[in-house]
Amino acid sequence: MSARLDTAQPYAIGLFRIVVGLLFACHGAASLFGVLGGAAGTEGGTLDAGTWPGWYAAVIQLVCGSLVLLGLGTRAAALLASGSMAYAYFKVHQPGALWPMENGGEASAMFCWAFLLLVFTGSGALGLDRLFSRRPGAEREPATQTVTVTA
């Protein structure tokens, strides 16, 4: 059974990347453009351009989320996104209480760790960076290439 799961691993990582990137980009779009309910606490409104740290976080969410969703520069975009969520957790949420359930920082903590995972796994299957990384005339890698992670 492990061998069968190992062959599906790149596709599972690719789907994980797509979902996490989409959700992150939606947060940024909501804050910047007032769609999907708008910025948190503004009742459908947007954040004022240039306000620290909310507006900058929203730009990072939209840009990095879109890049991760598409699988373009996944590792770099995921590293920036993970760092921004670590900052959000420790500067905004953690001073209110120790545990994420108490301070409202569950989303920041989950996004931080999800993006950190993508820094180490890469985009998996279905990412555009796989198309651009292939050079003309170079041998193609098999689509079922697996990365074995052992604990």
Side-chain angles (χ1 to χ4, degrees):
M1 182 157 152
S2 290
R4 183 178 292 160
L5 291 174
D6 286 345
T7 61
Q9 186 179 21
Y11 299 100
I13 291 170
L15 290 172
F16 176 78
R17 173 190 49 80
I18 289 168
V19 170
V20 170
L22 176 65
L23 293 173
F24 203 58
C26 285
H27 274 279
S31 298
L32 292 173
F33 308 121
V35 296
L36 305 169
T42 63
E43 304 223 6
T46 61
L47 297 173
D48 293 331
T51 57
W52 178 259
W55 186 83
Y56 293 95
V59 170
I60 290 171
Q61 290 167 0
L62 182 62
V63 172
C64 290
S66 298
L67 289 171
V68 168
L69 169 67
L70 296 172
L72 283 172
T74 302
R75 290 177 191 252
L79 182 64
L80 181 59
S82 179
S84 74
M85 288 295 96
Y87 178 87
Y89 182 76
F90 287 110
K91 291 298 272 186
V92 177
H93 298 286
Q94 202 276 329
L98 179 62
W99 297 103
M101 292 298 293
E102 296 175 322
N103 63 30
E106 301 97 334
S108 296
M110 287 294 287
F111 275 124
C112 178
W113 287 102
F115 283 118
L116 190 62
L117 177 66
L118 288 172
V119 170
F120 290 97
T121 62
S123 63
L126 313 171
L128 292 180
D129 57 357
R130 294 184 127 222
L131 295 175
F132 296 127
S133 67
R134 293 196 176 115
R135 284 172 245 137
E139 290 185 29
R140 291 183 165 255
E141 296 178 41
T144 58
Q145 179 185 6
T146 59
V147 177
T148 305
V149 179
T150 59

